[in-house]
Each structure stands twice: as structure tokens, then as C-alpha cells.
Amino acid sequence: MEIFPWPHLKLLLSSMLIAVALAVDPYSDALLSFKSEVIDHFHSLDDWLQLHHCYWFRPFYEETWGKLPGKQFGVFTELVELNISQNAFSGEIPIEIFNLTGLRSLDISRNNFSGHFPRGISGLQNLVVLDAFSNSFSGPLPVELSKLEFLKVLNLAGSYFDGPIPSAYGSFKRLDFLHLAGNSLSGNIPPELGNLQTVTHMEIGYNSYEGDIPWQVGNMSELRYLDIAGANLSGSIPRQLSNLTKLQSLFLFRNQLTGLIPWEFSRILPLTNLDLSDNMISGPIPESFAELKNLRLLSLMYNEMNGTVPDGIAELPSLDTLFIWNNFFTGSLPRNLGKNSKLRWLDVSTNSFIGSIPPHICTGGELFKLILFSNKFTGNLSPLSNCSSLVRIRLEDNSFSGEIPLTLSHLPDVTYIDFSGNRFTGGIPSDISQASKLQYFNGNLPPFRSCKSMLVVELQMNNMSGVVPKSISNCKSLEIINLASNQLIGHIPEELASLPALSVVDLSHNNFSGSIPVEFGKSTNLLLLNVSFNDISGSIPSEKVLQSMGRSAYVGNPELCGAPVRACSASMAIFGSKGTGKLSYLRKGSKGQWKMESFIGLPQFKANDVLRSFDSNESMDELPSAAVCKAVLPTGITVLVKKVEWEPKRMKVVSEFVTQMGNARHRNLIRLLGFCYNKHMAYMLYDYLPNGNLAEKVRIPRDWSTKCRIIIGIAKGLCFLHHDCNPAISHGDLKSSNIVFDDNFEPRLADFGFKYLTELTKGQCNEAIKDELYMDIYKFGEIILEILTNGRLINGGENTQSKPKDVLLREICNENEATDSTNSLQDEIKLVVDVALLCTRSRPADRPSMEDALKLLSGLKGQGK
């Protein structure tokens, strides 16, 4: 995606103009007339210069707006190239352009032209290039284009064309490039496209076709690039595609394709990129793929494939990316995987693989993402001892054992490590301080000499022994630490209890002794402390925050006394009577058997215990779906509770998505702590933050640093949802009232994913995730403007796109007290406004990704540390 496009307007006149020197210059008059009729907010046309009455030159780096005038084009009868791309022209295309019979190239891309594509283009018999990418055309594709004998490039992608692809499009004799993706096309793909013997590049995906892939596509003998992804295709993959022996890239992901992968694909020797992911393909990876010596990307994730990974895959010399997660593969990974190529990204998670990590996995020296979680791998991690290129390592939920041999000083770029749910012993090397970019660590307990950026440590359910080192005091940003279900001994260090940002501490099911540090009681952020089932003795400190945790946080310590151990009764309900609402619908026999799913931050309650402790005289029968109320758990934690209803047949798919939401952990997201559900409904438990939301506070003037911090925090939360969650989660309802603040005035996104969840419950997930992500980005741009203007601009995306940029900047600078003497502040404001304008562009494809937007914002000095 181009983040800073360079809009331009170029009129190339034929050589005959060089000889023209008339007293009255019709070309100059026409261009001046053209200039007078377009909206030029940024004065980009001021420097149009007339040279020798015959040649005009203008460097044009800003946008021109409004309807494109047409009458002036009649003068330029010898025009050979017309390029008005990357502007903001709207309305219909003037048909006068079709009188320029000498045109060989017409580029109207990245504008906002709308309506049906006008008739008459068949008159441009010399046309070689037609680029209309990223506009707002509707109606059928123009059939008469097929009459253009010399056409080589046809790009009609990124509009709203509907109906089928005309079968006449199979009659082009010289066409080289065909791009129709990202429209609203339907019907069957015409088999006549197989007659296109000169096309080398075809993209027709991201539409809503019917039926299967025509086998005749295999006759397009010159194809080098074929993309029909996200197109609602069904049926099997035609083996005739193996006749495309010049093909380099094949993208058929996100369809409903079934059956086996044709073994004949091994004939496509130039094949470099093969992505068949997110379908319903079954069977094994063909053994014949060992012949694809040029293959770099193999993506088969999210299918129903089985069998083992052929050894021949490990022999491919060019393979750098292998995605086969979420299938039913078994057996061991090929022993030589990584030995014969520079493997960069390997994801085989959520299968049933066994055996050890291939010994040569890091031989290529470029492996930066290794994702093996949720399998049955065993053995140790010695193959990773020299993997200095690693950035992300996920090995959780396997059966790895032994000590962890990683030398973290050799991993300068690692940001994410998850070793939980294995059988590791010992600790990781003491040089964790050298991993300066590490933000998430989940593995065996290290000495913490320097860990300023670390937010989460999850080490539960390992075979870890020893003590918690006092060096934990260096982790000043640590928010969550879970050491449950290990064999740790010694006292709970006061240094841990004194960490300023700590909100969740789970030390349960270990062998800790001594007393509970009183420093925990002084914490302003502590939400959960669980020290149950240890050998802790003495009395529970009297501070309110500790006594509010409830009995479940302290049980299993015979020598521990004091409230609430003896004060709490066994009948205490999960949902108490405090707060603005009561949850009283969890009665025995109420709409079926109840289950309880707890995520990190919530004790492991059982649904049966909840039901037994319930007051049956109160009911939530009348509370509508998606309604919210506040409740207090037995540990004393106040939560927000949302009610969700579904049909029994939707329970599995909905609960799986809720689990994905619950596992999404980021400092700029509201945590989903757990949910209690049956076949018909669920209660979702969220963190309760009583500090208000952005909608309530946006009109309060803030300094520039605070505004930057809020904007950056929102961007980080969205970026995590879009780029670190797999599959991506769209927020779906991003607005200022869904941005709440914690005690440190850090923004957190509330209600993320809930729109999609609601659609899941109704079986109405019609909108592609891509469109939802684009809408998130648009809403983020609007929220930026809302923050910058202290609430003056709400839902201001469309209005600001049509306002002169210098006027908008001047208004926002004044609202942020950026005078002429504060040039650095003005520069930062301009940067943020630029990002907002990019995010609110009318064409979704023109908007930056959240990853790109965050990179642009990362240079702000005002954001603080």
C-alpha cells in the first residue's frame, strides 16, 4: 500500500505541438479553461507554465477535486497519453475523452468516478492501456472493451461493478494484464477466459462468484500470476491448472474449495508462491511437490488436510515460508526441514505433530518466526540454540522438556516467547536483560536483571522449581505474572509485591512459604492475587484490596488465617448483589447445562459451584441480548457483564470466537476475563474500569503529549487486533465511547470483536474481514480528528476530505495552541493530521494498514516513553 501517493495530472501532447506557434494558442486556452473549472484547494495548478505557446509543464503533487470537465479535451486531438490518476475527481467520466482517438494510454485510477462506465470507449481503437483502478463505478463491466484490438492492460479493480464477467472478455488478442478484483461481480467465471493466450497476469478475486473454477483456465498458457482469492468458489481444484507451466504465483485462498490438491501441480516448475489456505481442501500434501524447486511460499493453513509432511518438502532449496496450521496433520516434521533453504517463517500450529524440532531448522540463518503451539511435540530445544534471527517463538501446549538452551544475548530482536504448557525444568539463561525488545515472555522463570519493556510473564503448568528471584524488581512495566501449578519454593518476594503496574498475580499451586507481603495491599492497580494451595502462613494483611479477593484466593494454606478465609461462606455466589445490576439467571436447569471458561485474570470457578450458590428468586430473563450490567465476584473483583444469546447450533462456533477474544491480551485492550455459557446463551465477564471513556473526556483540553499518548495507545490496540491476532480480529464498533481509560489514563479498547460475535450468533457473517478492518482504520482516522479538535469534529472523515488541507491544519494548530514559534509542534500536528486523512480516504484500498499507520505515528516526540 502506498502511504504517501503522489497525485498527478499529465497531458502528453504529440510531437506536432512542438512546431505550433500561433498568436492565439488553443492549447493554452483549453488548459486555462480546464484549470478554472476544477477545484484546486491546495493551489497546485498555480505553477502551470506556458512555454513557447506549445508545451505546458507543471509539477503536480496535490489533489484536484470535483467533476472532471470534458469540453476542453476536444482541442487535444493528437493526445496519446492522458493520466489524471490519484486525484479526487468524482461523478461520471466525460464522454469527450472517448473522442481522443489517438490515445494509447488512459489512466483514471485512484479517483472517485461513479455511475456506470459510459459507452463510447470502443472508439479508442489505438488504446493499449486502460487503468481505472480504485474508483466507485457500478453496474456491469463494459462489454465493448473487447473490441479494442490493441489493448494490453485492463484494470477495472476496486470499484463496485456487478453482474458476471462478460464472456466476450475471452476474445482479447493482445491482452497481457487483466485485473477485475475487489468488485461485486457474481455469476460463474466464464470458461471463455481460457481463450486468453497472451495474458500473463490475471487477478479476478475478491468478488462473489458462483460455481467452480473453469478447467479452461488451464489453457491460459502464458499465465505467470493468477489470483482468484476470496471469490466464493466451490468444487475441486481443476487438475488442468497444471498445464500453466509458466505460472509463478497461484492464489486461491479464502474460498470453499474441496477435494485433493492435484498432484499434477508438480509440473508447474516455475511456481514460486502457492496459497490455497482457508478452504475445505482434504487429503495430504502431494509427494510430487518435491519437484517444485522454485517454491518459496507454501500456505495450506485453515483446511481439512491430513497425513504427514513429505520429506521432499524439506529438500526444496527456495522454501522460506511454510504455513500449514489448523489442519489434521500427524507424524514428525521432516528431519531436514531448514537444512536446504533459508527458512524464514514456519507455522505448523494446531495439528497433531509429534517428535522433536528438526535439528537443522535454523541452519539457513534467517528464521524469524517459529510457531509450533498446540501439537504433541516432545524433546528439547537444542535446535534453537543458535537461532539468532528469531523474533517470535510460540511453543505452548506441547510436551517439550529439559532446560531451555536459548542464549538471549544472541536474540537481539526477539519480542515474543511463549513456552507455557510444556514440561520444562530449570530456568532460562541469566542474560535475559540483553533481549531488549522482549515484550512477552511465557516460559521457565529467569533471573530478571533488566526487563523494562516486559508486560506479561506466563509460566503456568510447567515443572519449574526454585525461587522467584528478587531481580523481578527490574520489571517496572510488568502487568501480569502467572506462575501457577509449578514447584516453586521460598518466600514471595517483596520486590514482586512492589511492582507499580502489576494487576494480576497468580502464584497458586506451588510450594511458597512465609507470609503474604504487605506491599500487595498498597497497590493501586492490583485486580487479582491468587496464592491458594501453597504453604503460606500467618495472617492475611488487613488492607481492603487483599481482603476483597475472596476466600478462593487463599484456600489450601492450612496455616493461613484472617479474613476472608474464615469470614466467607461456601455459598457465596459468583455474582453478588453489589453494583448497578445483578446476574441472577444462572439457575439449575435454566436452558441447559452451564459451563465456565476462565481466561487469565480470573480464578478457575466451576459452573456447578456457580449454579449451587445462586439466588433463584432473581432473574435476568428480561435482560435483552448485548445488555450490560456490573457485578462483583467472590474475590471482590468488579466486572462488567454482557449477555449474549444464540441458537444451540451456533454454540460451538461462537464459543470458539469468544475464546479467541479472551486470549487477546494487550495493554490497550479491555480484558475479557471469562464467560459462563450453555447451549442458548452466555454471560461475558470484562474488566471494569470506572475512569470514564473518551466521549466523556474528549472536550476537556489536554496537552499535546497526552493527546499523542491516547492516539498511540488506540493505534497499538488496533494494530494488535489486526496484525498479532491470528486470524485478525476487527473491532467492528470503534468510537470514542468504546475507548475507556485505566488508572494511568492509558486508553483501552472496549467491545472489540463484539459486532462480529453478534453476527456469528445470528449466522449473518456476510461482510469480509478485510472490509471490517478497513472500516476500523477509517474510524481510527475519525477518532484522531476528534481528539485533535477537542471533540469538535465527530464523524468528520468525509467532511475533512473535502476541506482545504491548509484550512484544516490552521484550525487544528489553533486548537492546540501551536503558534508560529512552535514549529516542531506544528510539524507533529501535520504528521498526525496526514495520518488521519490517509485513514479516512474514501477508497478502502487507499488507506494504510494499522501497522503502517502506527509506524507513521511512531516518530512523534510528544508521545513520551
Side-chain angles (χ1 to χ4, degrees):
M1 179 179 292
E2 295 176 356
I3 302 303
F4 289 112
W6 296 88
H8 55 287
L9 174 65
K10 182 169 58 176
L11 303 175
L12 298 181
L13 309 183
S14 69
S15 59
M16 67 164 286
L17 294 183
I18 299 176
V20 177
L22 303 175
V24 178
D25 181 1
Y27 306 106
S28 299
D29 289 344
L31 288 173
L32 287 173
S33 174
F34 178 91
K35 174 183 173 181
S36 69
E37 292 191 31
V38 298
I39 302 171
D40 180 22
H41 284 310
F42 303 123
H43 307 289
S44 305
L45 308 182
D46 289 354
D47 55 356
W48 268 21
L49 305 175
Q50 181 183 6
L51 303 177
H52 306 297
H53 301 280
C54 63
Y55 181 77
W56 287 66
F57 171 78
R58 178 186 58 77
F60 191 8
Y61 301 135
E62 298 287 353
E63 292 186 349
T64 307
W65 304 74
K67 190 172 182 179
L68 181 68
K71 60 184 179 182
Q72 294 85 354
F73 287 110
V75 175
F76 300 102
T77 55
E78 301 299 321
L79 195 65
V80 295
E81 179 180 351
L82 175 58
N83 186 334
I84 54 173
S85 65
Q86 302 187 55
N87 284 282
F89 290 120
S90 58
E92 297 184 351
I93 300 176
I95 58 174
E96 290 85 351
I97 290 178
F98 298 154
N99 295 326
L100 304 175
T101 55
L103 272 186
R104 292 198 292 269
S105 178
L106 175 59
D107 189 346
I108 58 174
S109 63
R110 297 183 185 274
N111 281 284
N112 197 29
F113 289 115
S114 59
H116 287 209
F117 198 91
R119 296 181 179 179
I121 196 170
S122 59
L124 302 181
Q125 283 297 311
N126 296 306
L127 199 64
V128 176
V129 175
L130 173 59
D131 190 349
F133 173 75
S134 189
N135 279 280
S136 297
F137 292 113
S138 58
L141 292 169
V143 179
E144 62 176 319
L145 290 174
S146 60
K147 298 178 182 179
L148 299 177
E149 182 180 354
F150 297 102
L151 196 65
K152 290 186 176 181
V153 175
L154 175 56
N155 191 343
L156 300 176
S159 273
Y160 301 99
F161 288 112
D162 55 33
I165 299 175
S167 58
Y169 277 20
S171 64
F172 291 107
K173 300 303 181 186
R174 293 179 172 84
L175 197 66
D176 177 76
F177 181 97
L178 177 61
H179 194 356
L180 306 176
N183 282 288
S184 301
L185 301 175
S186 58
N188 294 98
I189 297 175
E192 288 83 359
L193 293 184
N195 298 326
L196 297 174
Q197 299 295 305
T198 58
V199 171
T200 64
H201 185 116
M202 183 166 80
E203 294 181 63
I204 58 174
Y206 295 104
N207 286 290
S208 297
Y209 303 118
E210 300 169 6
D212 53 13
I213 302 172
W215 64 263
Q216 290 87 347
V217 173
N219 295 332
M220 301 176 67
S221 56
E222 294 298 314
L223 265 184
R224 289 163 173 80
Y225 188 103
L226 176 59
D227 187 344
I228 325 180
N232 196 42
L233 296 170
S234 57
S236 59
I237 301 173
R239 59 182 177 82
Q240 289 85 351
L241 295 188
S242 63
N243 296 329
L244 304 176
T245 55
K246 296 182 180 181
L247 196 65
Q248 297 172 3
S249 296
L250 176 59
F251 299 107
L252 301 177
F253 59 87
R254 205 177 297 161
N255 281 290
Q256 300 174 43
L257 300 173
T258 56
L260 306 179
I261 299 174
W263 66 265
E264 294 92 341
F265 273 15
S266 60
R267 298 172 181 169
I268 313 176
L269 297 182
L271 195 62
T272 302
N273 302 299
L274 177 61
D275 192 341
L276 308 178
S277 61
D278 204 356
N279 280 286
M280 294 181 284
I281 297 170
S282 57
I285 301 174
E287 296 275 353
S288 60
F289 273 20
E291 303 299 320
L292 299 175
K293 303 301 183 184
N294 292 297
L295 195 64
R296 293 183 58 189
L297 164 68
L298 177 59
S299 180
L300 306 174
M301 62 186 188
Y302 257 103
N303 276 289
E304 299 174 5
M305 299 184 67
N306 55 28
T308 60
V309 177
D311 289 338
I313 295 296
E315 308 300 322
L316 298 177
S318 301
L319 188 68
D320 65 26
T321 304
L322 178 61
F323 294 157
I324 55 175
W325 50 277
N326 256 36
N327 279 284
F328 301 98
F329 290 116
T330 56
S332 300
L333 292 177
R335 177 176 174 79
N336 289 334
L337 188 63
K339 182 178 181 180
N340 300 298
S341 68
K342 295 184 181 298
L343 196 62
R344 300 186 70 246
W345 192 340
L346 175 66
D347 192 338
V348 302
S349 58
T350 319
N351 282 285
S352 296
F353 286 114
I354 60 173
S356 57
I357 297 175
H360 307 289
I361 197 73
C362 297
T363 299
E366 296 187 9
L367 186 67
F368 78 103
K369 289 191 178 183
L370 178 63
I371 316 295
L372 308 180
F373 67 83
S374 297
N375 280 285
K376 301 175 183 178
F377 287 114
T378 56
N380 57 44
L381 303 189
S382 57
L384 306 184
S385 58
N386 293 311
C387 262
S388 59
S389 55
L390 281 170
V391 173
R392 193 174 182 91
I393 315 169
R394 295 192 62 181
L395 310 181
E396 68 265 30
D397 298 326
N398 281 285
S399 297
F400 291 113
S401 58
E403 295 192 359
I404 299 173
L406 298 184
T407 304
L408 291 178
S409 60
H410 295 167
L411 298 174
D413 297 317
V414 70
T415 62
Y416 191 106
I417 299 176
D418 194 337
F419 292 158
S420 63
N422 284 284
R423 301 174 182 173
F424 292 120
T425 58
I428 71 169
S430 59
D431 61 351
I432 190 173
S433 60
Q434 302 301 313
S436 58
K437 298 182 181 178
L438 188 62
Q439 294 184 359
Y440 183 101
F441 178 81
N442 187 334
N444 281 20
L445 196 61
F448 297 96
R449 289 194 173 84
S450 178
C451 46
K452 293 181 179 179
S453 61
M454 194 177 297
L455 303 176
V456 178
V457 173
E458 293 181 341
L459 312 169
Q460 69 273 21
M461 294 186 295
N462 280 287
N463 192 27
M464 191 166 49
S465 59
V467 301
V468 177
K470 293 184 178 181
S471 56
I472 191 77
S473 61
N474 294 313
C475 304
K476 300 297 185 185
S477 299
L478 192 64
E479 297 179 358
I480 297 172
I481 183 166
N482 189 342
L483 307 179
S485 301
N486 283 287
Q487 299 178 32
L488 297 170
I489 61 173
H491 291 196
I492 301 172
E494 296 177 358
E495 289 80 3
L496 172 64
S498 301
L499 292 176
L502 206 58
S503 61
V504 173
V505 182
D506 193 343
L507 307 178
S508 61
H509 295 276
N510 279 284
N511 296 310
F512 287 112
S513 57
S515 59
I516 298 174
V518 295
E519 284 78 10
F520 279 128
K522 301 174 183 177
S523 172
T524 58
N525 292 315
L526 191 63
L527 298 176
L528 171 68
L529 173 66
N530 189 349
V531 296
S532 59
F533 299 98
N534 281 281
D535 292 320
I536 296 172
S537 58
S539 61
I540 299 170
S542 59
E543 280 78 7
K544 182 178 179 181
V545 64
L546 296 180
Q547 297 197 1
S548 68
M549 294 297 168
R551 183 176 182 274
S552 60
Y554 304 108
V555 296
N557 294 284
E559 302 300 320
L560 189 62
C561 62
V565 173
R566 296 171 182 170
C568 295
S569 66
S571 62
M572 189 171 188
I574 182 172
F575 302 125
S577 59
K578 298 179 181 179
T580 59
K582 300 175 183 179
L583 285 184
S584 307
Y585 197 66
L586 306 181
R587 298 194 303 276
K588 285 185 178 180
S590 176
K591 292 192 174 182
Q593 184 178 2
W594 287 86
K595 297 181 181 180
M596 185 71 197
E597 184 77 24
S598 298
F599 307 116
I600 184 168
L602 190 70
Q604 296 293 322
F605 292 108
K606 294 182 179 180
N608 287 338
D609 296 334
V610 174
L611 294 173
R612 278 196 299 268
S613 65
F614 201 71
D615 180 1
S616 61
N617 291 324
E618 301 177 25
S619 177
M620 284 187 65
D621 283 311
E622 303 304 319
L623 192 64
S625 185
V628 181
C629 71
K630 187 171 68 173
V632 181
L633 307 188
T635 57
I637 300 174
T638 302
V639 294
L640 282 180
V641 185
K642 268 200 167 185
K643 178 183 175 183
V644 183
E645 296 178 331
W646 54 57
E647 297 178 10
K649 65 181 180 181
R650 309 296 304 168
M651 183 182 75
K652 183 176 184 296
V653 66
V654 175
S655 60
E656 286 176 352
F657 182 68
V658 173
T659 300
Q660 186 192 1
M661 293 169 63
N663 290 328
R665 285 291 188 262
H666 190 275
R667 68 181 302 170
N668 296 111
L669 300 179
I670 283 284
R671 295 179 309 162
L672 174 59
L673 298 172
F675 67 111
C676 195
Y677 67 101
N678 63 19
K679 291 183 178 181
H680 297 269
M681 63 189 307
Y683 294 110
M684 300 173 64
L685 283 60
Y686 290 90
D687 265 336
Y688 173 63
L689 297 183
N691 302 304
N693 59 52
L694 181 61
E696 299 167 347
K697 299 178 181 293
V698 71
R699 299 185 188 279
I700 302 173
R702 308 280 179 189
D703 58 53
W704 179 244
S705 176
T706 301
K707 288 184 177 181
C708 285
R709 185 156 57 88
I710 294 172
I711 291 170
I712 292 286
I714 298 168
K716 286 181 177 179
L718 274 181
C719 188
F720 178 84
L721 291 173
H722 288 199
H723 300 283
D724 287 310
C725 293
N726 202 345
I729 298 176
S730 65
H731 187 287
D733 191 22
L734 190 64
K735 55 188 177 183
S736 55
S737 60
N738 277 336
I739 299 166
V740 298
F741 295 99
D742 62 18
D743 291 338
N744 298 315
F745 209 68
E746 186 74 22
R748 299 198 182 208
L749 306 184
D751 268 6
F752 65 86
F754 201 80
K755 177 185 175 185
Y756 182 74
L757 175 65
T758 304
E759 293 173 348
L760 273 181
T761 64
K762 302 174 182 176
Q764 297 177 347
C765 297
N766 298 321
E767 194 149 12
I769 182 66
K770 177 187 69 170
D771 299 328
E772 287 292 316
L773 298 181
Y774 278 140
M775 182 53 66
D776 280 355
I777 295 165
Y778 185 90
K779 293 296 185 182
F780 172 63
E782 290 195 322
I783 285 174
I784 290 178
L785 295 170
E786 189 173 348
I787 293 171
L788 293 183
T789 60
N790 300 322
R792 177 175 59 84
L793 287 177
I794 299 177
N795 301 325
E798 185 175 351
N799 293 334
T800 52
Q801 287 288 343
S802 60
K803 177 177 284 191
K805 185 176 177 181
D806 57 341
V807 175
L808 179 64
L809 273 173
R810 186 165 58 250
E811 292 174 353
I812 292 178
C813 282
N814 289 337
E815 287 170 313
N816 290 275
E817 299 180 355
T819 62
D820 293 338
S821 60
T822 55
N823 290 329
S824 62
L825 177 54
Q826 288 184 347
D827 290 342
E828 292 209 343
I829 290 175
K830 184 179 184 301
L831 170 61
V832 178
V833 170
D834 284 340
V835 172
L837 293 178
L838 285 170
C839 291
T840 54
R841 281 183 173 272
S842 57
R843 293 297 303 148
D846 292 338
R847 299 168 197 162
S849 67
M850 277 312 305
E851 194 170 44
D852 290 332
L854 184 56
K855 286 178 182 177
L856 292 173
L857 293 169
S858 63
L860 292 175
K861 296 178 181 179
Q863 64 176 298
K865 295 183 180 180

